[in-house]
Amino acid sequence: MAPLGATATATDARTVNGSDGAAVIDTLTRALTLILLAVAGVGVLGGVVLETHERIRDPGVHKALGTAPLQTVTLVLVSVVLPGLAGGAPGVPPGLAVHRAVMPAMGDSAGPPLPEVVLDVHRTP
């Protein structure tokens, strides 16, 4: 109960004890995610270019045999997507484990402990 004459103030749900730590960590996490996606996208693009360059004769042979352009593009995409999924799927569990280790450490260094809503972003289906 507030003493007589005290004023009440409303705070954002992400603000803890007057600290914007959760908002800062959200912003940092979003920025790091965008950087990671950009680096991964450039890596995939480089892999596609190298794969196509190494197999430059294959699209020519398929075209000579009468393959439609869409089928040629599908062949190239399948040759990249399947190895990408096979390589990316084993990386998901360690990525989740690293998230659970790094986020609390970031929160502890920023000030008060992070609320569970910030830490529990990956739910098991």
Side-chain angles (χ1 to χ4, degrees), residues 2-106:
L4 188 60
T7 59
T9 59
T11 60
D12 186 5
R14 292 189 174 270
T15 304
V16 180
N17 296 334
S19 171
D20 291 325
V24 169
I25 290 179
D26 278 348
T27 304
L28 282 173
T29 303
R30 285 188 182 108
L32 291 173
T33 301
L34 290 175
I35 292 169
L36 179 64
L37 286 173
V39 169
V42 169
V44 168
L45 179 64
V48 169
V49 168
L50 286 174
E51 178 79 17
T52 305
H53 182 69
E54 289 176 0
R55 297 176 43 184
I56 196 69
R57 289 189 182 102
D58 292 350
V61 169
H62 289 295
K63 190 172 182 180
L65 293 174
T67 304
L70 183 61
Q71 290 173 327
T72 304
V73 170
T74 304
L75 287 171
V76 171
L77 289 178
V78 167
S79 72
V80 174
V81 169
L82 291 177
L85 288 175
V92 171
L96 293 174
V98 167
H99 175 268
R100 286 304 276 177
V102 169
M103 287 301 289
M106 286 174 64

